[in-house]
Structures are given as structure tokens and as C-alpha cells.
Amino acid sequence: MAARTQCLFRRAYSSAADKHVAFLGLGNMGGYMAANLAKKGFTVRGYDPSKDALTAAAKTGVTGADSIAKAVDGADVVVSILPSNKVVLDAYLGKDGVVAHAKKGSLLIDSSTVDPNVPKQVFPVAIEKGQGFIDAPVSGGVMGAQNATLAFMAGGRKEDFDRSLPLLKAMGAKQFHCGEIGAGQVAKLANNMLMGITGMATAECMNMGIKMGLDPQVLLDVLNNSSARSWSTEVYCPVPGLVPTAPSSRNYDGGFKNELMVKDLELASGMALGIRSPIPLGAVATQLYRIVQSRGYGQKDFSFVYQLLKEEKTN
Ligand code: NAD
């Protein structure tokens, strides 16, 4: 039965039209995402400047290429998940980049978290070359990438989003079409700013209650059954030992790194500044997580902010 189900999935996910995939960026997220595409029947050729990343990907069925041009040559679809605005712009619009070398009629999907202006710059150039392009950033972290449970939030033409669905479904559990090009990034940055703010708020309120003498478990039970309940209190409690699966219960390792939270908050702040949308809480959160990073805890999960607040003397 399991073999039959797998067979059906293979057929459903790898349509004859879009079978050959180029994958750029085989890091913490991309390594698992490319592996899931290969597992579900797509032919995947990957590129990453890191030799270690290419070697690890080869073990999951991803063929390595030594340049972007070679990776995207003849591909039906290009998927990328890269570190920054500059890397994405160079990878797509550079002389040896994706748009110059991907074939006419191919679909380009960028899942990096970047400024919404980045996909807006790539889109018209890709369209001019007869390629489709969507921004499709993800939520769900490395675990979500590994287990193919990511949520994709996409921006771009509806027909390109629809065409991307077999691939997005092979790599994740939820797919949202948020609107025009760049809309996926707007949704992603709004989500992560809110996650940063609620994380910080949970840390400071739990710290205050515990310092006033409340039993941490009692306080958490009250919050989770009252009006302050949130993802941060239920799933991601910053106080160690209360939620066994939260990063705080494993020394703040293996979660969403503080340095990535800073990156996303800075992108969100830049976006808000561009339209003069007031973000008083977002601005405070950005500063606080920056302080965590400057004290040397950038690699820890962002809920580590609780430990900094805890160190502050009460009187
Ligand atoms: P990572 O640093 O582990 O991986 C990025 C990979 O891109 C690296 O292997 C790097 O060598 C490679 N790379 C750099 N330049 C390249 C190029 N020109 N062509 C091809 N590959 C290139 O980062 P990550 O954690 O996988 O994150 C990637 C993106 O996903 C970022 O935009 C991040 O904000 C976003 N994101 C990360 C998470 C998370 O939990 N890690 C969650 C959601 C979104």
C-alpha cells in the first residue's frame, strides 16, 4: 500500500511538463527542500558555491553543477533559496545568472527571504525573456524543510503560482497566493515581525511574573488559558523546561537563529520605512534582538532574549 501511495505521489508531483528542476542554494533549508523534490520524482540539478553543500546534496539524489548557468541549462523550473538581497539579485540578473541562461518558458521560483523590491526587480526582466517568476518565501524553519511541512507564501501571476503548485506541494504543506509580485515577501516579513514582537513580549512578561515569585508552570498555564495566549506561549515558550519541544528546552539550539530574526526585522523595518508605516513595536524588537546578537548570541534561537532580560537586576 505504501509503495502504491508513493507511486501515485510521484506521478502527481512530477508532471511531464515540469520534471527537470535546477536548485540554487543547498544550505540548511535548500538542502532538505532539494532532497524532497528528488524523493518525489523530480530530476534535480543543484548549484551551491559550497563544496560541502554539493557533496551532502549528492547523497540525497541531487546532481551537482559547478555554475548557475550549468545548473539552469534546460531546466523546466528553477527554485532558489539564498541568503540575501544582493545574492538573489546577482544570481538572477548577473551576466552568468538565471535569467540569462534559463530557457524560454521556464518557471523561476525564489524562496529566499528578501526585500519585496528584489522580486519586483527580477520579475520584468524574466517576463521579457519569456520566463515566469514568483517570489515564494517560506515559514516553518529547518524542521519544516526536512519534513516537507513548510508554508509557502507567494507573489506573482496566478498562472505561475498554479504552475508552481506541484513543486511547492512536494516541499511543503501549505501554499498561499498572496497577490502581485513581492506580495509573498510582504506576508513573510509581517509574519516574522509579529513573531519577533510576541516572542519579546512573552519573554518580558514571563520574566516579570517569575521574578515576582510565580511558579513558571502556573504562569504559563494561566497565559495559555487566557487572553495573552499565542504561538510563543503555546509552542515556543522562552523559559527552559516548560515546553519540552521548544528551543529554550535544548539550550536555545536548533531553532530560528537570532541573527535570522535580526535580518527579517531589518528587512521589515526597511519596508515599513519606505511607506512610512509606523512600527513602534517592530523598531524596539529590532533593537533588542540586535543587542542579543552583539553580545554574541546570534546563533542561538531568538527566544534567547529571555536570558538577557533575566540577567537584568530587579532592584
Ligand atoms: P544557509 O546559509 O544555510 O544557506 C544558504 C546557501 O546558499 C549556502 O549553502 C550558500 O553557500 C548558498 N549560496 C550562496 N550564494 C549562492 C549562489 N550565488 N548560488 C547558489 N547558492 C548560493 O541559509 P538558510 O538557513 O538555508 O536560509 C536561506 C534563506 O531562507 C534565507 O533567505 C533565510 O532568511 C530563509 N529562511 C531561513 C529559515 C531558517 O530557519 N533557516 C526559515 C525561513 C526562511
Side-chain angles (χ1 to χ4, degrees):
M1 182 62 191
R4 187 170 171 273
T5 313
Q6 201 180 15
C7 179
L8 286 175
F9 267 104
R10 273 170 187 260
R11 231 179 292 150
Y13 283 142
S14 52
S15 79
D18 286 333
K19 185 159 172 44
H20 298 287
V21 180
F23 204 106
L24 312 179
L26 301 161
N28 290 330
M29 298 292 288
Y32 287 121
M33 291 162 74
N36 280 324
L37 288 172
K39 206 193 306 180
K40 307 234 168 106
F42 293 93
T43 306
V44 186
R45 193 159 55 207
Y47 170 71
D48 193 301
S50 154
K51 293 274 172 292
D52 289 347
L54 282 177
T55 307
K59 293 182 186 140
T60 66
V62 174
T63 312
D66 59 13
S67 70
I68 290 177
K70 285 183 190 160
V72 306
D73 183 36
D76 304 311
V77 182
V78 178
V79 183
S80 57
I81 181 152
L82 300 166
S84 67
N85 292 346
K86 182 174 177 346
V87 173
V88 172
L89 284 172
D90 287 351
Y92 275 87
L93 300 182
K95 186 165 64 65
D96 299 317
V98 177
V99 174
H101 291 277
K103 70 182 180 187
K104 190 175 176 185
S106 56
L107 173 64
L108 319 177
I109 304 170
D110 182 41
S111 286
S112 322
T113 304
V114 289
D115 188 300
N117 284 315
V118 169
K120 284 181 188 167
Q121 284 178 63
V122 176
F123 180 74
V125 190
I127 297 299
E128 181 72 25
K129 293 272 293 189
Q131 299 152 345
F133 177 73
I134 61 169
D135 56 303
V138 295
S139 180
V142 178
M143 289 277 282
Q146 183 172 11
N147 300 328
T149 54
L150 293 170
F152 284 87
M153 36 213 104
R157 299 184 303 197
K158 180 72 166 58
E159 65 266 32
D160 291 333
F161 172 72
D162 289 344
R163 183 177 164 193
S164 76
L165 283 174
L167 288 100
L168 303 192
K169 285 180 178 174
M171 297 183 284
K174 294 205 171 110
Q175 306 80 30
F176 300 95
H177 184 230
C178 303
E180 300 288 303
I181 194 73
Q185 298 295 351
V186 176
K188 166 74 183 170
L189 295 179
N191 178 75
N192 280 25
M193 181 179 275
L194 185 51
M195 177 171 76
I197 292 168
T198 51
M200 172 183 84
T202 303
E204 74 180 42
C205 292
M206 289 218 58
N207 183 49
M208 177 181 71
I210 292 165
K211 285 200 165 158
M212 283 298 292
L214 283 189
D215 179 323
Q217 186 65 61
V218 170
L219 176 55
L220 187 65
D221 289 346
V222 169
L223 296 180
N224 278 335
N225 288 282
S226 306
S227 44
R229 190 181 76 238
S230 73
W231 180 83
S232 281
T233 62
E234 284 188 320
V235 179
Y236 227 74
C237 176
V239 182
L242 300 183
V243 175
T245 49
S248 58
S249 296
R250 44 174 195 269
N251 198 23
Y252 301 91
D253 291 325
F256 186 63
K257 285 181 196 162
N258 189 88
E259 66 176 24
L260 284 177
M261 177 55 85
V262 170
K263 173 197 162 180
D264 290 359
L265 285 170
E266 287 178 347
L267 286 171
S269 303
M271 180 174 83
L273 203 63
I275 54 163
R276 306 194 77 191
S277 173
I279 49 156
L281 299 180
V284 173
T286 308
Q287 298 303 325
L288 194 53
Y289 291 113
R290 265 195 200 143
I291 291 171
V292 176
Q293 188 167 357
S294 68
R295 294 211 183 161
Y297 301 109
Q299 297 298 307
K300 292 289 184 191
D301 179 76
F302 72 98
S303 61
F304 189 85
V305 68
Y306 169 73
Q307 293 295 332
L308 248 64
L309 297 172
K310 193 179 150 197
E311 278 170 21
E312 292 295 314
K313 300 233 177 324
T314 24
N315 276 310

